[in-house]
Amino acid sequence: MTFSSPLALILLICIPVIIYIGWPRQTYRRARDIASLMLRTLIALLLVLALAGTQVTQSADKLAVVFLLDASDSMSANTQEASLDYIREATNTMQPDDEVGIIVFGANALIERPLSNVRDIGNLQSSPASGNTNLERAIRLALGMLPADAARRIVILSDGETTLGNAQAAAELAAASGVEISYVSYTSADSPEVQVSNVTTPNAINSGQNFDLSFSVQAEAPTPARISIFDSGQIIYQEVVDLRAGTNSYTLSLQGAGSGFKDFQVQVDPLENDNFFQNNQLSTFSRVIGPPRVLLVYSSEEEIQYLRSALEQAGLTVDTTTPDQLPFTLVPLAQYESIILANVPATRMTPTRMETLQRYVRDLGGGLVVVGGPQTYGPGGYFQTPLEETLPLESQITDQLRLPQLTIAYLIDRSGSMGAVGPSGVENIELAKEAIIRSIDLLQPTDRAGVVSFDSVGYWIARIQDVRDRIALQRLVGTLRASGGTDILAGMNLVATDIAPDPSARKHIILLTDGGADAAGLVDLSRRLNEESGVTTSVIAIGGGAASFLGQMANVGGGNYHIVTAVEQIPTIFTQETVLATRSYIIENTFFPTISSNSPIMRGINASPALLGYVATTAKQTAEVILRGPAPYNDPLLAAWQYGLGRSVAFTSDATSRWGAAWVSWDAFVRFWDQAVRWTITEGTTNNLETRVVMEGEQARLIVDARDNDGAFLNGLDLQLSVINPEAQPTLLDLQQVAPGRYEATFSSNMEGAYLLAVRSTDDEQATINQTTGWVMSYSAEYDRNNRGDGNALLADLATLTGGQSLKDTPEGVFAHNLSAVAAGTPIWQVLLLSALILLPFDIAVRRLIVTRGDLQRLREFIFRENQAVTSSERMTTLMDAKQRGRQRAEEISSSGTVSNLQARKEQARENLATSSSELKPAPAPVDEQPASPPANTQATEDGNVAGALLKKRRERSDK
C-alpha cells in the first residue's frame, strides 16, 4: 500500500483525540457509546486514508517502449526509412500486453504514434523542423508519454549529432525515473560536402575607402564551383573556380560607395554533387560612413528635375528609381536614411512594396517624404493602404458639404474566368469585392451606389441606393460569385436604365472585366450616357490581352482606362476612381501658404511664394500641421509626425512648375527641401553604441554598450530594439540596463539569414542615441561538417547512464522483458470515502435511537401477524378456486341433459370438495357410509332436470 499524499497522514493524530472525547463516562449506556466510538474512529480513519491518496500496489509484467526517430537533415531519407523498418521488425516481437509509441524529432519533437499495443506501423506523417537536432526535447516528451504501471524503455534511432538542448540532463532525469534508454546508431550522410565557413568585412567603412571582403570555403573533395558575391542583392562578382580538398580562402577588394547600411552575401554553387545547400551561402554587414544617402522615387522625369538638383545641392547623396523597381525587402532599403516619393500613385506600387515602406519607417527608423501632385493621396489611390497609414494625412475629405453628391455604379464581370486565382492566392472575384467595399467606405453618406454583375445576362446585386447603411450594401456585395459567360452590354443596359435619370451632380460607372465580349453597342452606349446624361465611364481590364473597344469605351465615356497585370492593384484603382469621379480633391487656384506651426522644417523661413494647386486631405489627430492652404477650408499643405521608430513628412502640393512655378525659382527652395528631408533622418551618435549578438541555444541575446565621447558610461537610457527577421517580420523589445552602460534584450532566432537590428531611444531628450546594424544568423550546426562531435559516443553515454545498451543488431531485444517488474498502484480513495459515508448513518443511529425489549417484541408480533395474514389469504384463494371449479362442473352437467351424468358429476364434485377440504383441515374419523334416501319431492326426476328443480325451489322461497 502506498500513498500519493502521505503528508495527510499527519491527521491520524486526531484519532486519539476522538477516542478521548468519545470515551463513555456513563455506565448505563456504555455499550452504545463504545459502539458509536468505534464507528466514529473508523470513519475518521477512512477519511484520513482517502485524503492521503491510498493506493494498492501490485506488480505488473508489462513493457512500454517509445522509439525516438531522428528526422533531422543530418539523417538522409534512406536512413530514416531504415529506422522505420527497424521499428517494424522490433514490434513483431512484442507481447500482447506490451505497448509501443513513436516520437519523431528534429529541432522539435512530435508524437507520431501514442502508446498502443497495435503492431502495425505505417509511414511517417509528422514533419518536425529538420534544421536542428534536439534530443533533450524528444527524451522529455517520451518520459511524459510512458505509463507508471509498466516497465519503461526508450530506444533512440539517430546519428547522435545533437545541435540544441542538453541530452545528458534529460538522460539523468530518465535514470532517476527508472526508465532505460537504449539506442540504434546510424551514420550521417557521407557524400562530399562544400560549405562557406567564414565571411568578414570591416564594421564601418568610409565613403570611397577601399576594403577587403574575405571568405573561406570548405570542400571535402576537389570539385568545381561557381562563386557569386552580392551587394544588397546585386551581383558584384562571379567566377567559376576549382575547389581543392580542405580550406579555400579568398579575398576580394571593394570600395565603399555612397553611404548607409550595406549587406554582402557570398554564395558558392558546387557544379557536382553536394549534400546540403543550406551551408552554401553566408552574409555579413558593413556601414559606409559618408553624406546622408536618400532614395528618390518618381513616376516621370518631370517630377524630379528640380527636386533632385535641390537635394544634391544640400549635400545629400541621391539615388533614383521608379515605383516598379522599388525593392521588395528591407535590406536594400536599409542603406538609405530617407526615401522620397515624388507624385507617385499607389497604383504603381504593389501592396508588398507599400508594406515594405511602412516597415522601413515604423520598424527600421527610416524617413519618408511624400511630395504631392495630381496622382497622390486621394487621387493616387492612397486610401486604406499601408502608405496612408505611414503618413500624417488621411486621403479622404471628411467635410461632406464641400463634396457634390456622387452616384457610382459598379459593373462587375462575374464570368467563370473571374474565379481564377492570381499570384496572391486570392480569386479575382474576391479582389473585386474587396475593391467595391473599400470604394464604398470612401463615399459620403449622401452619395449613392449600386452594383450590377453580368455573365451571360445582367443581374442587380444592389440597386442604386443611398450609402447611409453602407454595411448592408457591403454585405450584398459579398454575395458575388463567379460563373457563366460574358455579356457586357447586358450589364451596361441595366445600369444605364437607372443611372441616367439619377439626380446626383456626379454620375460614374466603373466597369471591371477580364475577358472579351461582343463589342456591338457598347461604345455608342458609353458616348450617349456621357453626352446626354453626364455619366462618365472608366474601364479596368484584367490581363494584357484586353479588347480594344474597352479603351474606346473609357475614352468616349470621359473616364479612365486601366490595364491591370497585377490584380492586387484592383482595390487601389477603385478608390482612385471614386476620388476622381468627385472632381473635388484637386484644388487649383493661386494662394499663399500659411505657416501654422514652428517646426525645424521651416527654420529660417518666414514666408513662401504662391502655389497654384494642391490635393485636399485631412490631417490625422496626432500630426503636426506646419503649412496650411487657403481659406475657407485651410487644408493641410505640409504635415509631419513620428511613426514608430521613424518619421514621415507629407507635402500636398508638388515640386514642379505645374503648381510650384514660383517655388522652383525661390531662393529658399533648396533649404526647404533639405530641412524637410533631414528632419526625417534620425541622425545620432551612432559611434557611441557598440552592439553585438550572442547565441544562447535557440535564443539570441543583444548586448549594447553605450558610452559618451569621453568614454564614460551612458546610464539610464530608454532604449528600444526593433528586430526584423529575414522574412521582414518585426519584433519590438525594450532594452534593460544590466550593468553600467550595458543594455540587453533577448529575441527568438529560429530563422537563418540576415537580421536588421535598430536601436532607438524612446526619450525625446535622448533622440540622438540610435544605431541601425545587422546580424547574420549562420546556418545551423546541422549543416556544419567541421564541428561535428562523436554522436555514437553520446548515445553510448546516455545508455550507460540509464542501464541501456546498443540494440542495433538485436531488434528482438527491444521488447525483452529483462527490466525489473514495476509495482503499479491502484487508487482506492473513492472506496474509502464511500465506506465512510455508508457508516455515518449507522453512527448517528447508535447515538440517537433507543431500542427496548418491548420494541423488539412488538416488532416480532407485527412480523408474525403479517405471516398469518398471508396464510389466511392463501386459504381463501384455495376455497374460491374450488368453488369456481364446482360451478363449472354444474354447468357441464346441465348442458348434458341426463340424470346419470348429473349424478356422476355430482359425486365427482363431492370428491373434489372433500379433497380441497382435506387440504385445509384434518380428515375426520372414518364412519360407515349409508346410502342417501331418495328425496321426497320426485318432481326433479320426473322433469329429468335437476337445474329446473332447484329453480323451482328458489321461486317458492321467494313467494313465501
mmCIF file of all heavy atoms in Angstrom, residues 16-44:
data_model
loop_
_atom_site.group_PDB
_atom_site.id
_atom_site.type_symbol
_atom_site.label_atom_id
_atom_site.label_comp_id
_atom_site.label_asym_id
_atom_site.label_seq_id
_atom_site.Cartn_x
_atom_site.Cartn_y
_atom_site.Cartn_z
ATOM 1 N N PRO A 16 -6.511 9.674 18.480
ATOM 2 C CA PRO A 16 -6.544 9.626 19.961
ATOM 3 C C PRO A 16 -7.445 10.690 20.566
ATOM 4 O O PRO A 16 -8.096 10.445 21.591
ATOM 5 C CB PRO A 16 -5.075 9.855 20.346
ATOM 6 C CG PRO A 16 -4.301 9.413 19.158
ATOM 7 C CD PRO A 16 -5.142 9.777 17.985
ATOM 8 N N VAL A 17 -7.504 11.864 19.938
ATOM 9 C CA VAL A 17 -8.379 12.918 20.459
ATOM 10 C C VAL A 17 -9.834 12.484 20.367
ATOM 11 O O VAL A 17 -10.624 12.691 21.306
ATOM 12 C CB VAL A 17 -8.137 14.227 19.690
ATOM 13 C CG1 VAL A 17 -9.078 15.325 20.178
ATOM 14 C CG2 VAL A 17 -6.691 14.670 19.835
ATOM 15 N N ILE A 18 -10.182 11.866 19.242
ATOM 16 C CA ILE A 18 -11.573 11.392 19.075
ATOM 17 C C ILE A 18 -11.893 10.321 20.114
ATOM 18 O O ILE A 18 -12.988 10.315 20.712
ATOM 19 C CB ILE A 18 -11.774 10.853 17.646
ATOM 20 C CG1 ILE A 18 -11.615 11.994 16.621
ATOM 21 C CG2 ILE A 18 -13.132 10.190 17.492
ATOM 22 C CD1 ILE A 18 -11.652 11.528 15.186
ATOM 23 N N ILE A 19 -10.951 9.424 20.353
ATOM 24 C CA ILE A 19 -11.193 8.358 21.349
ATOM 25 C C ILE A 19 -11.346 8.949 22.749
ATOM 26 O O ILE A 19 -12.228 8.547 23.539
ATOM 27 C CB ILE A 19 -10.037 7.334 21.308
ATOM 28 C CG1 ILE A 19 -10.039 6.608 19.950
ATOM 29 C CG2 ILE A 19 -10.152 6.320 22.450
ATOM 30 C CD1 ILE A 19 -8.878 5.672 19.763
ATOM 31 N N TYR A 20 -10.500 9.944 23.074
ATOM 32 C CA TYR A 20 -10.563 10.544 24.416
ATOM 33 C C TYR A 20 -11.889 11.267 24.623
ATOM 34 O O TYR A 20 -12.533 11.129 25.667
ATOM 35 C CB TYR A 20 -9.393 11.515 24.586
ATOM 36 C CG TYR A 20 -9.451 12.282 25.886
ATOM 37 C CD1 TYR A 20 -9.070 11.674 27.082
ATOM 38 C CD2 TYR A 20 -9.895 13.601 25.906
ATOM 39 C CE1 TYR A 20 -9.145 12.380 28.283
ATOM 40 C CE2 TYR A 20 -9.963 14.308 27.103
ATOM 41 C CZ TYR A 20 -9.583 13.688 28.291
ATOM 42 O OH TYR A 20 -9.663 14.376 29.466
ATOM 43 N N ILE A 21 -12.293 12.055 23.601
ATOM 44 C CA ILE A 21 -13.546 12.809 23.755
ATOM 45 C C ILE A 21 -14.748 11.880 23.783
ATOM 46 O O ILE A 21 -15.708 12.085 24.543
ATOM 47 C CB ILE A 21 -13.672 13.845 22.622
ATOM 48 C CG1 ILE A 21 -12.557 14.888 22.737
ATOM 49 C CG2 ILE A 21 -15.033 14.529 22.646
ATOM 50 C CD1 ILE A 21 -12.524 15.866 21.599
ATOM 51 N N GLY A 22 -14.725 10.832 22.978
ATOM 52 C CA GLY A 22 -15.898 9.957 22.879
ATOM 53 C C GLY A 22 -15.925 8.799 23.852
ATOM 54 O O GLY A 22 -16.843 7.970 23.786
ATOM 55 N N TRP A 23 -14.929 8.653 24.760
ATOM 56 C CA TRP A 23 -14.902 7.502 25.682
ATOM 57 C C TRP A 23 -16.096 7.571 26.636
ATOM 58 O O TRP A 23 -16.369 8.607 27.222
ATOM 59 C CB TRP A 23 -13.591 7.501 26.474
ATOM 60 C CG TRP A 23 -13.431 6.238 27.279
ATOM 61 C CD1 TRP A 23 -13.660 6.059 28.589
ATOM 62 C CD2 TRP A 23 -13.028 4.988 26.757
ATOM 63 N NE1 TRP A 23 -13.421 4.777 28.959
ATOM 64 C CE2 TRP A 23 -13.025 4.074 27.829
ATOM 65 C CE3 TRP A 23 -12.664 4.536 25.474
ATOM 66 C CZ2 TRP A 23 -12.681 2.738 27.678
ATOM 67 C CZ3 TRP A 23 -12.323 3.220 25.338
ATOM 68 C CH2 TRP A 23 -12.329 2.332 26.426
ATOM 69 N N PRO A 24 -16.863 6.477 26.776
ATOM 70 C CA PRO A 24 -18.106 6.500 27.588
ATOM 71 C C PRO A 24 -17.816 6.777 29.058
ATOM 72 O O PRO A 24 -16.908 6.189 29.648
ATOM 73 C CB PRO A 24 -18.711 5.113 27.361
ATOM 74 C CG PRO A 24 -17.571 4.264 26.934
ATOM 75 C CD PRO A 24 -16.635 5.140 26.212
ATOM 76 N N ARG A 25 -18.601 7.670 29.627
ATOM 77 C CA ARG A 25 -18.437 8.027 31.032
ATOM 78 C C ARG A 25 -19.676 7.714 31.866
ATOM 79 O O ARG A 25 -19.715 7.977 33.064
ATOM 80 C CB ARG A 25 -18.113 9.519 31.139
ATOM 81 C CG ARG A 25 -16.694 9.820 30.613
ATOM 82 C CD ARG A 25 -16.478 11.293 30.425
ATOM 83 N NE ARG A 25 -15.087 11.568 30.047
ATOM 84 C CZ ARG A 25 -14.574 11.399 28.852
ATOM 85 N NH1 ARG A 25 -15.347 10.911 27.888
ATOM 86 N NH2 ARG A 25 -13.313 11.670 28.599
ATOM 87 N N GLN A 26 -20.741 7.143 31.285
ATOM 88 C CA GLN A 26 -21.955 6.748 31.993
ATOM 89 C C GLN A 26 -22.140 5.249 31.829
ATOM 90 O O GLN A 26 -22.142 4.723 30.724
ATOM 91 C CB GLN A 26 -23.167 7.482 31.429
ATOM 92 C CG GLN A 26 -23.087 8.999 31.633
ATOM 93 C CD GLN A 26 -24.291 9.700 31.065
ATOM 94 O OE1 GLN A 26 -25.190 9.056 30.537
ATOM 95 N NE2 GLN A 26 -24.310 11.028 31.200
ATOM 96 N N THR A 27 -22.323 4.577 32.974
ATOM 97 C CA THR A 27 -22.329 3.110 32.969
ATOM 98 C C THR A 27 -23.534 2.543 32.241
ATOM 99 O O THR A 27 -23.419 1.561 31.490
ATOM 100 C CB THR A 27 -22.299 2.585 34.410
ATOM 101 O OG1 THR A 27 -21.206 3.184 35.095
ATOM 102 C CG2 THR A 27 -22.178 1.072 34.440
ATOM 103 N N TYR A 28 -24.703 3.174 32.423
ATOM 104 C CA TYR A 28 -25.923 2.562 31.898
ATOM 105 C C TYR A 28 -25.961 2.568 30.363
ATOM 106 O O TYR A 28 -26.733 1.843 29.766
ATOM 107 C CB TYR A 28 -27.151 3.275 32.465
ATOM 108 C CG TYR A 28 -27.355 4.680 31.942
ATOM 109 C CD1 TYR A 28 -28.147 4.923 30.817
ATOM 110 C CD2 TYR A 28 -26.766 5.766 32.575
ATOM 111 C CE1 TYR A 28 -28.316 6.201 30.348
ATOM 112 C CE2 TYR A 28 -26.944 7.043 32.118
ATOM 113 C CZ TYR A 28 -27.734 7.263 31.004
ATOM 114 O OH TYR A 28 -27.911 8.541 30.540
ATOM 115 N N ARG A 29 -25.150 3.382 29.678
ATOM 116 C CA ARG A 29 -25.157 3.411 28.215
ATOM 117 C C ARG A 29 -23.763 3.148 27.642
ATOM 118 O O ARG A 29 -23.406 3.624 26.558
ATOM 119 C CB ARG A 29 -25.676 4.744 27.707
ATOM 120 C CG ARG A 29 -25.035 5.974 28.318
ATOM 121 C CD ARG A 29 -25.641 7.237 27.765
ATOM 122 N NE ARG A 29 -25.392 7.361 26.347
ATOM 123 C CZ ARG A 29 -25.959 8.282 25.559
ATOM 124 N NH1 ARG A 29 -26.847 9.111 26.072
ATOM 125 N NH2 ARG A 29 -25.661 8.343 24.280
ATOM 126 N N ARG A 30 -22.959 2.412 28.393
ATOM 127 C CA ARG A 30 -21.596 2.172 27.976
ATOM 128 C C ARG A 30 -21.535 1.409 26.640
ATOM 129 O O ARG A 30 -20.711 1.718 25.770
ATOM 130 C CB ARG A 30 -20.848 1.404 29.066
ATOM 131 C CG ARG A 30 -19.379 1.079 28.708
ATOM 132 C CD ARG A 30 -18.713 0.328 29.846
ATOM 133 N NE ARG A 30 -18.627 1.134 31.025
ATOM 134 C CZ ARG A 30 -17.621 1.984 31.287
ATOM 135 N NH1 ARG A 30 -16.643 2.105 30.427
ATOM 136 N NH2 ARG A 30 -17.585 2.699 32.396
ATOM 137 N N ALA A 31 -22.379 0.415 26.489
ATOM 138 C CA ALA A 31 -22.317 -0.418 25.275
ATOM 139 C C ALA A 31 -22.580 0.419 24.020
ATOM 140 O O ALA A 31 -21.878 0.330 23.012
ATOM 141 C CB ALA A 31 -23.319 -1.568 25.369
ATOM 142 N N ARG A 32 -23.639 1.277 24.114
ATOM 143 C CA ARG A 32 -23.960 2.108 22.962
ATOM 144 C C ARG A 32 -22.846 3.105 22.676
ATOM 145 O O ARG A 32 -22.479 3.360 21.528
ATOM 146 C CB ARG A 32 -25.281 2.841 23.190
ATOM 147 C CG ARG A 32 -26.475 1.887 23.203
ATOM 148 C CD ARG A 32 -27.781 2.578 23.566
ATOM 149 N NE ARG A 32 -28.013 3.709 22.688
ATOM 150 C CZ ARG A 32 -28.136 4.976 23.114
ATOM 151 N NH1 ARG A 32 -28.046 5.242 24.369
ATOM 152 N NH2 ARG A 32 -28.352 5.942 22.269
ATOM 153 N N ASP A 33 -22.265 3.707 23.702
ATOM 154 C CA ASP A 33 -21.205 4.688 23.491
ATOM 155 C C ASP A 33 -19.955 4.046 22.905
ATOM 156 O O ASP A 33 -19.271 4.657 22.065
ATOM 157 C CB ASP A 33 -20.860 5.375 24.811
ATOM 158 C CG ASP A 33 -21.964 6.342 25.250
ATOM 159 O OD1 ASP A 33 -22.832 6.650 24.401
ATOM 160 O OD2 ASP A 33 -21.963 6.785 26.404
ATOM 161 N N ILE A 34 -19.629 2.843 23.342
ATOM 162 C CA ILE A 34 -18.460 2.160 22.780
ATOM 163 C C ILE A 34 -18.685 1.845 21.299
ATOM 164 O O ILE A 34 -17.787 2.029 20.465
ATOM 165 C CB ILE A 34 -18.161 0.884 23.577
ATOM 166 C CG1 ILE A 34 -17.638 1.250 24.981
ATOM 167 C CG2 ILE A 34 -17.140 0.011 22.843
ATOM 168 C CD1 ILE A 34 -17.392 0.055 25.870
ATOM 169 N N ALA A 35 -19.898 1.376 20.951
ATOM 170 C CA ALA A 35 -20.188 1.085 19.543
ATOM 171 C C ALA A 35 -20.097 2.351 18.695
ATOM 172 O O ALA A 35 -19.532 2.355 17.592
ATOM 173 C CB ALA A 35 -21.578 0.456 19.418
ATOM 174 N N SER A 36 -20.664 3.468 19.221
ATOM 175 C CA SER A 36 -20.596 4.727 18.483
ATOM 176 C C SER A 36 -19.157 5.197 18.332
ATOM 177 O O SER A 36 -18.754 5.679 17.274
ATOM 178 C CB SER A 36 -21.429 5.790 19.203
ATOM 179 O OG SER A 36 -21.296 7.046 18.575
ATOM 180 N N LEU A 37 -18.355 5.051 19.402
ATOM 181 C CA LEU A 37 -16.960 5.469 19.338
ATOM 182 C C LEU A 37 -16.192 4.658 18.303
ATOM 183 O O LEU A 37 -15.373 5.221 17.546
ATOM 184 C CB LEU A 37 -16.314 5.305 20.727
ATOM 185 C CG LEU A 37 -14.821 5.655 20.803
ATOM 186 C CD1 LEU A 37 -14.591 7.105 20.411
ATOM 187 C CD2 LEU A 37 -14.293 5.375 22.205
ATOM 188 N N MET A 38 -16.436 3.389 18.240
ATOM 189 C CA MET A 38 -15.749 2.561 17.255
ATOM 190 C C MET A 38 -16.119 2.981 15.832
ATOM 191 O O MET A 38 -15.265 3.047 14.943
ATOM 192 C CB MET A 38 -16.099 1.086 17.489
ATOM 193 C CG MET A 38 -15.561 0.518 18.800
ATOM 194 S SD MET A 38 -16.104 -1.172 19.088
ATOM 195 C CE MET A 38 -15.381 -1.997 17.705
ATOM 196 N N LEU A 39 -17.405 3.284 15.616
ATOM 197 C CA LEU A 39 -17.824 3.717 14.281
ATOM 198 C C LEU A 39 -17.191 5.054 13.897
ATOM 199 O O LEU A 39 -16.701 5.232 12.786
ATOM 200 C CB LEU A 39 -19.349 3.820 14.223
ATOM 201 C CG LEU A 39 -20.121 2.498 14.177
ATOM 202 C CD1 LEU A 39 -21.615 2.747 14.298
ATOM 203 C CD2 LEU A 39 -19.816 1.744 12.893
ATOM 204 N N ARG A 40 -17.190 6.007 14.858
ATOM 205 C CA ARG A 40 -16.614 7.318 14.554
ATOM 206 C C ARG A 40 -15.111 7.218 14.305
ATOM 207 O O ARG A 40 -14.558 7.886 13.428
ATOM 208 C CB ARG A 40 -16.906 8.288 15.695
ATOM 209 C CG ARG A 40 -18.253 8.998 15.537
ATOM 210 C CD ARG A 40 -18.512 9.939 16.666
ATOM 211 N NE ARG A 40 -18.836 9.205 17.896
ATOM 212 C CZ ARG A 40 -18.953 9.765 19.100
ATOM 213 N NH1 ARG A 40 -18.735 11.053 19.225
ATOM 214 N NH2 ARG A 40 -19.267 9.053 20.143
ATOM 215 N N THR A 41 -14.439 6.396 15.062
ATOM 216 C CA THR A 41 -12.995 6.221 14.855
ATOM 217 C C THR A 41 -12.709 5.625 13.483
ATOM 218 O O THR A 41 -11.796 6.034 12.764
ATOM 219 C CB THR A 41 -12.415 5.323 15.947
ATOM 220 O OG1 THR A 41 -12.703 5.897 17.232
ATOM 221 C CG2 THR A 41 -10.907 5.183 15.785
ATOM 222 N N LEU A 42 -13.534 4.633 13.107
ATOM 223 C CA LEU A 42 -13.361 4.004 11.798
ATOM 224 C C LEU A 42 -13.636 4.998 10.673
ATOM 225 O O LEU A 42 -12.909 5.041 9.665
ATOM 226 C CB LEU A 42 -14.291 2.788 11.689
ATOM 227 C CG LEU A 42 -14.216 2.001 10.372
ATOM 228 C CD1 LEU A 42 -12.795 1.511 10.116
ATOM 229 C CD2 LEU A 42 -15.194 0.828 10.395
ATOM 230 N N ILE A 43 -14.667 5.831 10.823
ATOM 231 C CA ILE A 43 -14.982 6.837 9.801
ATOM 232 C C ILE A 43 -13.830 7.823 9.658
ATOM 233 O O ILE A 43 -13.411 8.177 8.550
ATOM 234 C CB ILE A 43 -16.293 7.566 10.160
ATOM 235 C CG1 ILE A 43 -17.491 6.608 10.020
ATOM 236 C CG2 ILE A 43 -16.491 8.797 9.271
ATOM 237 C CD1 ILE A 43 -18.797 7.186 10.527
ATOM 238 N N ALA A 44 -13.283 8.298 10.798
ATOM 239 C CA ALA A 44 -12.164 9.236 10.749
ATOM 240 C C ALA A 44 -10.953 8.605 10.075
ATOM 241 O O ALA A 44 -10.249 9.249 9.276
ATOM 242 C CB ALA A 44 -11.815 9.718 12.153
#
